[in-house]
Amino acid sequence: MQNKGLIKLFAFLFGLVSIYQLSYTFITNKVENEAEAFAISRIADTSEGYLSEREALEARYLDSIGHNSQFGYTTYDEAKKKELNKGLDLKGGINVTLQISVKDILKGLANNTKNPVFNKALADADLASKSSDDRYLDLFFEAFDKIKGDTKLASPDIFFTKSLSDEIQTMDADDATVKRIIETKVDESIVSAFEVLRERIDGFGVTQPNIQREGNSGRILVELPGVRDISRAQDLLSSTAQLEFWETYSSSNQSISNFLISANEKLKTLIDTATVETPVKEESELDSLLSDVAQDSLDLASQVNPLLDLIAGPGSQHAVAKFAIKDTAKVGAYLRMPQIQRLIPSDIQFIKFLWERPSTEDTEVVDLYALKSNREGVPRISGDVVSDARADFDQFSKPAVSMTMNTRGAKEWEDLTGDAYNNKTGIAIVLDNKVYTAPGVSTGPISGGRSEITGTFTVNETKDISNVLRAGKLPASAEIIQSEIVGPSLGQEAIDSGFRSFLIAMTVVLVWMVFYYGRAGLFADIALLLNILLIFGVLTSLSAVLTLPGIAGIVLTIGMSVDANVLIFERIKEELAKGKGKSQAISDGFGNALSSILDANITTGLTALILFVFGSGPIKGFATTLLIGILTSLFTAIFITRLLVDWYISGKTRRLDFSTNLTKNLFTGINIDFLIKRKIAYIFSLVLVGIGIFSLATNGLQEGVDFIGGRSYQVRFEKEVNPSEIASELNEVFGSGTKVKEFGDANQIKITTPYKVDVEGIAVDNEIQDKLYTALQKYLPSGISYDDFVVGSADKSIGILQSVKVGPTIADDIKNNAFLAILGSLAVVFLYILFRFRKWQFSLGAVTAVFHDVLIVLGIFSLTSNIMPFNMEIDQAFIAAILTVIGYSLNDTVVVFDRIREIVSEKGWKSGENINSAVNSTLGRTLNTSMTTLVVLLTIFVFGGESLRGFMFAMIIGVIVGTYSSVFIATPVMFDTIKKKILSGNADKIVK
């Protein structure tokens, strides 16, 4: 091997850089362990709320020492930015996919036009989007074209507005031109939303957040690992941040009093026959404090005054009255009734009612405010005039938000405060349809554009509000269409189980290599350990995210790294058997094995690359580690092992055998006629595939929420529970379709429900969790609160440990991407093998074997899904397993094909005899590698945690079937398609 010095230098520097990169992770772990020990020593377990107190003390400790030097070259704060990123499944936190509403953007661009054609096109696009994967904008254009008649997009009451006049310069512009302009504007709005969200996240203070825009779909992926306050994070991401300033009516306004009295009298005549409907969410809804309240039939015959009797007291300054929070939906429904709306006096005909924001979770009554609105329903001042905002404290040292306005805002603020001063009214400061405060003006108009929002805030709330205002409002609503929330205790369990399986698998492989190959196996082990170091170093350097499937990918890389060394050592043993000298045999062994190693790793790498492109979240993490592992294992197996072997044999008295006394003659002298047994193999495989297809047609597969949409919850109890009993009870709560099954231990279950799967919004998520808490309360320990039950609570061992939500639209996209990933991998591999072997028969054999393997894995999953004691759902992790099976099966097949190519190029086809010879010569490598990989996979299956068992089961089946198919399917199919030419002597010789 040439340039040994350069390789040594590169390996040394590569290893040194990896150790340096990983040192930051060791430093952060050390400091955080010290902080945890400090908090435990100061706060006893007997203290009330000791977990949250310890968490706060840890944070203060880390803040105080964040800038202190660590080991003389970094600080904790710097190290935290450079540590190995742990994914959601290892650290806990929240991962969401937000859908920016293109409909809202279009309505905004059209100035909320009332044009019937435009609004009908929006309604049709809404309907079409429920069953189509096309972009909403394309669906809108298609719907508009169908119904437009003579109406043009450039119509003055659609898109030819003042804000678009620079782009759409004439109302005669054709629709194609306007479509291009609108497409650009929509894209700009989505980019704006992305930037707004990024600014908000930066201000939220999360370590190592991840935010990505998903193509031009209007979707934005946000991952916040380590977040504990889940509800705060959800509010931050989905809040549109519509800051508005309104002038209030006086609380003593006689017209409002007369209206409420008239409304009360009218309701007396309506309550026996009317059903008040809870309206669809809209700008002015009064029940924004209570979401998705069930429709109530109002039977209030026992009440003398249906509306006035609900008043809980006089309102605060500038408020109409106080009402109980439980009655806000009912009051709002009353005031929206058409019969009541018609009673509003003409002098207040555009009145807008909004509720006060509750000051705490324990608040029972809130104020109702009456705001001075107009025909368009727009506020006097909107939040876009705010140029800066920051968390502050008011004159009484209470948390507040200080704002500075731009020049236009300062002028409008002076006018508004002047009117409020003259009219003795208040100024309602409204954020997302909640009145945060409504102060009066006592000193006349306020100039300069500086103002302050006060109220019953916490410090975190003022930080979030100022962060949102400073970043700006979202150009459209952002709905959470997919989410995954992992509790921190589950993340720690995943780390423990993942690394336990990693260490066990590593130990087994290291021992096996020494047992099988002796001292040569020890050299392979050293290269393998360096390989693991390099993988973690590269992951840290690239700021890649380590996930639980990623750990599985690293463990799988161990098997692949061993495979390369097995190929090399087996070839060296063959060269030694030919009578070559030690040095020459080693040189030829490495050289002859190189082609097989490269082909096998490239095919596996191609499937991993496709998985990286089409996967998301933890699955992308699996693909990342697999790709990195392929590159590092090639380097260590080919170069590092060679350096160690050459170094050792350079000693004149040293002897290096590539076997031990127990393994010396294994797999030697084997001469099985595989081709003559191929018909038996065909029949056997056809029976297996046929049974699998029959089961798929009759039983189907258990599709997870990834593919069908819905919500799933992993819930742990103190004692064992009966899943069937719980399923029966939950089906009464959520309707049919809710599934409950044991998930791991007998005290843990997985609940999957399609309940309100097509309804977006945090309110629905909270409603379902509340119903779960109520329904499961009898199975929970006494005294456990709702906050303790829901996901996100720190260090808990009971309650919801993980929740996943997938909307129906994104579920269809995930399913389509999975289908494309499998087809794409097959096509790419077919073309690669065709390119390498220059004969379509080889490609056909390989792809047939892969189809065979995939169908058998699917069939076994279909047959056993109801009897296996672990999760057998078909989800993204399963697709990752299928693609890995494809890669592994091709790995085996390519090694066999490579040996066939080598032998046939030297000796010819010989009526197929040399094909048998090639298969027999690779049998030792095939079985050795397969057994090693199976041991690794079985280790992860047993010790890697419940969430990986279905994933590993698919791969275990795939490795067994893939080993079989490379010998009994791929090679025979290749032979049968070229047999006539071989027997007639017309088959071309394969060129190496």
Side-chain angles (χ1 to χ4, degrees):
M1 183 173 63
Q2 305 297 318
N3 300 318
K4 289 184 180 179
L6 186 61
I7 293 171
K8 289 178 183 177
L9 178 63
F10 180 76
F12 174 75
L13 293 176
F14 200 176
L16 196 62
V17 169
S18 296
I19 292 172
Y20 172 75
Q21 292 290 345
L22 288 171
S23 69
Y24 292 111
T25 304
F26 293 127
I27 289 171
T28 55
N29 287 341
K30 168 185 168 293
V31 174
E32 286 169 2
N33 287 337
E34 291 172 354
E36 182 180 3
F38 175 79
I40 291 173
S41 68
R42 293 293 188 277
I43 301 173
D45 294 354
T46 54
S47 301
E48 186 177 351
Y50 71 95
L51 287 176
S52 59
E53 287 185 24
R54 282 180 181 173
E55 188 178 329
L57 185 57
E58 281 181 44
R60 290 197 297 273
Y61 177 90
L62 293 173
D63 284 341
S64 67
I65 57 91
H67 297 292
N68 295 353
S69 176
Q70 300 290 335
F71 297 98
Y73 71 95
T74 188
T75 64
Y76 169 77
D77 289 345
E78 285 296 319
K80 192 66 180 174
K81 296 174 183 176
K82 298 177 182 179
E83 71 172 343
L84 177 65
N85 293 341
K86 291 189 284 287
L88 204 69
D89 50 0
L90 296 179
K91 198 174 183 179
I94 180 171
N95 176 305
V96 302
T97 300
L98 296 163
Q99 178 70 64
I100 304 300
S101 173
V102 176
K103 178 181 180 180
D104 284 357
I105 297 172
L106 290 172
K107 290 171 71 174
L109 291 172
N111 281 345
N112 294 306
T113 180
K114 298 295 191 290
N115 183 284
V117 176
F118 174 85
N119 286 291
K120 178 67 166 60
L122 287 178
D124 292 346
D126 285 342
L127 187 63
S129 65
K130 294 179 180 179
S131 57
S132 174
D133 296 329
D134 294 340
R135 293 186 310 162
Y136 185 91
L137 185 60
D138 294 331
L139 295 174
F140 166 75
F141 287 150
E142 183 180 334
F144 184 86
D145 289 340
K146 286 181 180 179
I147 63 172
K148 66 180 182 180
D150 295 331
T151 306
K152 300 183 69 174
L153 289 171
S155 170
D157 60 346
I158 301 183
F159 289 127
F160 188 57
T161 61
K162 184 178 180 180
S163 60
L164 291 175
S165 59
D166 289 340
E167 288 84 5
I168 306 173
Q169 298 177 358
T170 172
M171 68 179 68
D172 295 324
D174 60 89
D175 283 356
T177 301
V178 177
K179 285 178 182 179
R180 287 194 296 271
I181 294 170
I182 296 304
E183 187 157 359
T184 300
K185 288 293 182 182
V186 168
D187 188 66
E188 288 174 355
S189 296
I190 293 170
V191 170
S192 173
F194 177 85
E195 294 300 328
V196 167
L197 287 169
R198 188 171 65 179
E199 288 290 331
R200 290 186 188 180
I201 290 166
D202 288 344
F204 190 63
V206 180
T207 305
Q208 299 167 333
N210 176 37
I211 176 169
Q212 302 171 19
R213 183 180 169 191
E214 296 189 345
N216 59 358
S217 62
R219 290 175 185 163
I220 297 174
L221 173 69
V222 179
E223 186 172 71
L224 305 176
V227 167
R228 301 293 179 93
D229 194 339
I230 299 299
S231 60
R232 180 185 169 201
Q234 289 175 321
D235 289 339
L236 175 85
L237 294 173
S238 59
S239 170
T240 55
Q242 294 178 343
L243 177 66
E244 299 168 344
F245 300 90
W246 301 79
E247 184 182 355
T248 69
Y249 282 104
S250 170
S251 58
S252 60
N253 186 289
Q254 193 60 44
S255 295
I256 295 176
S257 301
N258 292 339
F259 164 65
L260 293 177
I261 293 170
S262 300
N264 183 72
E265 294 302 312
K266 184 67 175 177
L267 284 168
K268 291 179 181 179
T269 67
L270 297 174
I271 56 174
D272 291 332
T273 58
T275 298
V276 179
E277 297 182 355
T278 301
V280 178
K281 184 177 179 183
E282 56 181 287
E283 284 293 311
S284 61
E285 69 175 338
L286 290 164
D287 55 349
S288 59
L289 301 175
L290 296 176
S291 300
D292 196 28
V293 180
Q295 294 183 357
D296 293 321
S297 181
L298 303 177
D299 183 11
L300 303 172
S302 61
Q303 283 190 322
V304 177
N305 298 298
L307 178 60
L308 299 182
D309 283 354
L310 297 178
I311 294 177
S316 304
Q317 186 183 23
H318 308 302
V320 173
K322 289 186 183 297
F323 292 86
I325 286 183
K326 64 182 179 64
D327 294 327
T328 53
K330 186 184 296 183
V331 173
Y334 284 158
L335 297 179
R336 277 187 299 277
M337 293 174 67
Q339 301 95 322
I340 303 302
Q341 287 280 305
R342 286 193 286 268
L343 301 176
I344 298 175
S346 59
D347 60 323
I348 58 168
Q349 60 177 315
F350 300 121
I351 192 171
K352 179 185 180 78
F353 290 105
L354 282 184
W355 293 109
E356 173 196 17
R357 167 188 169 275
S359 56
T360 67
E361 292 183 1
D362 299 327
T363 300
E364 296 183 354
V365 294
V366 289
D367 282 317
L368 176 66
Y369 286 91
L371 311 182
K372 291 184 179 180
S373 186
N374 47 48
R375 188 181 299 275
E376 292 76 24
V378 297
R380 289 283 298 270
I381 305 176
S382 60
D384 57 2
V385 302
V386 176
S387 58
D388 189 26
R390 58 188 175 85
D392 207 342
F393 293 91
D394 63 16
Q395 58 182 326
F396 304 108
S397 297
K398 293 181 179 179
V401 177
S402 177
M403 295 183 302
T404 304
M405 299 181 181
N406 59 25
T407 305
R408 176 171 64 86
K411 179 64 173 66
E412 292 175 350
W413 181 248
E414 187 173 356
D415 292 342
L416 177 57
T417 53
D419 291 344
Y421 174 74
N422 294 327
N423 298 329
K424 306 301 181 189
T425 53
I427 297 176
I429 300 176
V430 178
L431 186 63
D432 287 338
N433 282 324
K434 298 174 185 176
V435 178
Y436 276 65
T437 184
V441 180
S442 59
T443 58
I446 302 173
S447 60
R450 295 185 63 85
S451 57
E452 189 175 68
I453 303 177
T454 59
T456 52
F457 299 122
T458 64
V459 172
N460 270 344
E461 285 174 331
T462 58
K463 286 180 179 178
D464 288 347
I465 293 169
S466 60
N467 176 24
V468 165
L469 295 179
R470 193 166 54 249
K473 72 173 184 178
L474 291 173
S477 60
E479 294 289 357
I480 297 175
I481 58 172
Q482 181 184 20
S483 69
E484 181 179 8
I485 303 170
V486 181
S489 60
L490 189 62
Q492 187 58 50
E493 290 174 13
I495 291 176
D496 295 340
S497 61
F499 278 100
R500 182 167 57 247
S501 66
F502 173 79
L503 292 174
I504 293 172
M506 174 76 87
T507 302
V508 170
V509 170
L510 293 176
V511 171
W512 173 257
M513 289 300 288
V514 174
F515 166 78
Y516 198 90
Y517 291 108
R519 188 172 280 108
L522 181 62
F523 296 149
D525 287 348
I526 294 172
L528 180 58
L529 291 172
L530 177 61
N531 181 30
I532 301 303
L533 173 66
L534 298 182
I535 290 174
F536 280 104
V538 172
L539 279 171
T540 308
S541 302
L542 297 177
S543 296
V545 178
L546 180 66
T547 61
L548 188 56
I551 294 176
I554 294 173
V555 178
L556 185 61
T557 299
I558 295 173
M560 295 174 59
S561 184
V562 167
D563 179 44
N565 281 300
V566 168
L567 277 169
I568 292 168
F569 292 165
E570 292 297 322
R571 291 308 298 260
I572 291 174
K573 286 163 67 175
E574 289 179 19
E575 301 302 325
L576 289 171
K578 293 177 183 178
K580 292 182 180 180
K582 188 79 70 175
S583 296
Q584 188 61 46
I586 289 171
S587 178
D588 290 348
F590 272 92
N592 292 332
L594 184 60
S595 176
S596 295
I597 292 171
L598 289 176
D599 283 338
N601 280 275
I602 287 173
T603 50
T604 305
L606 288 172
T607 56
L609 187 62
I610 290 169
L611 186 59
F612 180 83
V613 172
F614 288 97
S616 62
I619 305 308
K620 192 181 286 285
F622 172 76
T624 301
T625 54
L626 198 56
L627 286 168
I628 293 171
I630 287 170
L631 296 175
T632 56
S633 63
L634 280 173
F635 171 72
T636 54
I638 295 172
F639 295 109
I640 303 304
T641 306
R642 178 71 182 276
L643 280 175
L644 293 170
V645 169
D646 284 351
W647 163 78
Y648 189 80
I649 66 168
S650 64
K652 293 183 179 179
T653 60
R654 292 174 183 166
R655 175 184 175 85
L656 182 63
D657 294 322
F658 291 85
S659 60
T660 62
N661 291 333
L662 293 174
T663 61
K664 187 173 183 179
N665 296 315
L666 281 178
F667 305 113
T668 58
I670 297 176
N671 187 22
I672 302 172
D673 192 340
F674 288 101
L675 293 181
I676 205 169
K677 304 180 189 311
R678 68 186 187 281
K679 291 182 180 178
I680 297 174
Y682 286 163
I683 293 171
F684 176 70
S685 291
L686 282 172
V687 170
L688 283 182
V689 171
I691 292 173
I693 290 175
F694 177 77
S695 179
L696 287 169
T698 54
N699 299 332
L701 294 164
Q702 288 186 11
E703 291 184 282
V705 293
D706 282 2
F707 288 167
I708 59 175
R711 292 172 174 83
S712 71
Y713 302 88
Q714 184 178 337
V715 186
R716 185 179 293 165
F717 301 89
E718 189 176 36
K719 300 177 181 177
E720 294 183 7
V721 292
N722 186 334
S724 299
E725 180 183 332
I726 293 176
S728 176
E729 293 176 1
L730 291 182
N731 272 299
E732 293 181 8
V733 176
F734 297 119
S736 61
T738 299
K739 299 176 182 177
V740 180
K741 54 188 171 185
E742 190 174 293
F743 194 77
D745 297 331
N747 68 329
Q748 192 165 275
I749 60 174
K750 185 174 185 179
I751 301 168
T752 305
T753 178
Y755 178 72
K756 292 191 176 180
V757 63
D758 54 348
V759 180
E760 308 292 355
I762 298 172
V764 181
D765 299 336
N766 293 337
E767 176 204 345
I768 294 175
Q769 288 191 149
D770 185 64
K771 288 186 175 182
L772 277 177
Y773 173 65
T774 303
L776 300 176
Q777 205 157 32
K778 67 180 181 181
Y779 302 100
L780 298 169
S782 60
I784 187 170
S785 67
Y786 174 80
D787 289 338
D788 293 330
F789 173 76
V790 298
V791 69
S793 300
D795 302 323
K796 68 175 185 177
S797 58
I798 294 175
I800 301 177
L801 302 181
Q802 180 180 22
S803 70
V804 177
K805 165 192 167 185
V806 181
T809 303
I810 202 166
D812 289 340
D813 291 348
I814 291 171
K815 187 184 293 186
N816 291 337
N817 283 344
F819 181 73
L820 290 173
I822 293 175
L823 285 186
S825 64
L826 292 174
V828 168
V829 168
F830 181 93
L831 293 173
Y832 177 77
I833 294 178
L834 183 63
F835 169 76
R836 288 293 287 129
F837 295 94
R838 308 298 173 87
K839 288 186 178 296
W840 63 267
Q841 291 91 345
F842 283 92
S843 291
L844 181 63
V847 172
T848 301
V850 167
F851 265 114
H852 163 274
D853 300 344
V854 170
L855 286 173
I856 288 181
V857 173
L858 289 173
I860 289 175
F861 259 67
S862 177
L863 283 166
T864 62
S865 60
N866 292 323
I867 60 176
M868 286 295 181
F870 50 85
N871 181 35
M872 297 277 282
E873 288 182 351
I874 306 302
D875 53 16
Q876 289 191 83
F878 177 81
I879 298 303
I882 289 294
L883 286 173
T884 309
V885 166
I886 290 173
Y888 187 87
S889 176
L890 289 166
N891 186 317
D892 260 359
T893 301
V894 165
V895 169
V896 175
F897 282 178
D898 219 52
R899 184 58 65 88
I900 292 172
R901 176 175 60 181
E902 179 184 346
I903 292 179
V904 170
S905 66
E906 294 175 357
K907 303 178 181 179
W909 292 96
K910 277 195 178 179
S911 300
E913 293 176 15
N914 285 331
I915 294 178
N916 276 323
S917 176
V919 175
N920 279 292
S921 67
T922 61
L923 202 58
R925 171 265 161 198
T926 299
L927 294 178
N928 199 342
T929 299
S930 297
M931 291 302 295
T932 307
T933 306
L934 276 174
V935 167
V936 169
L937 294 177
L938 283 168
T939 302
I940 309 174
F941 178 80
V942 174
F943 299 103
E946 184 64 29
S947 61
L948 283 177
R949 288 212 167 92
F951 179 37
M952 287 297 108
F953 181 71
M955 291 181 63
I956 289 168
I957 300 301
V959 167
I960 295 171
V961 176
T963 303
Y964 160 81
S965 69
S966 64
V967 174
F968 290 101
I969 301 298
T971 303
V973 167
M974 179 276 294
F975 173 74
D976 281 334
T977 52
I978 201 173
K979 180 172 63 175
K980 288 184 179 179
K981 289 185 177 182
I982 291 175
L983 297 179
S984 64
N986 295 324
D988 297 331
K989 208 173 199 182
I990 303 177
V991 180
K992 285 183 72 176

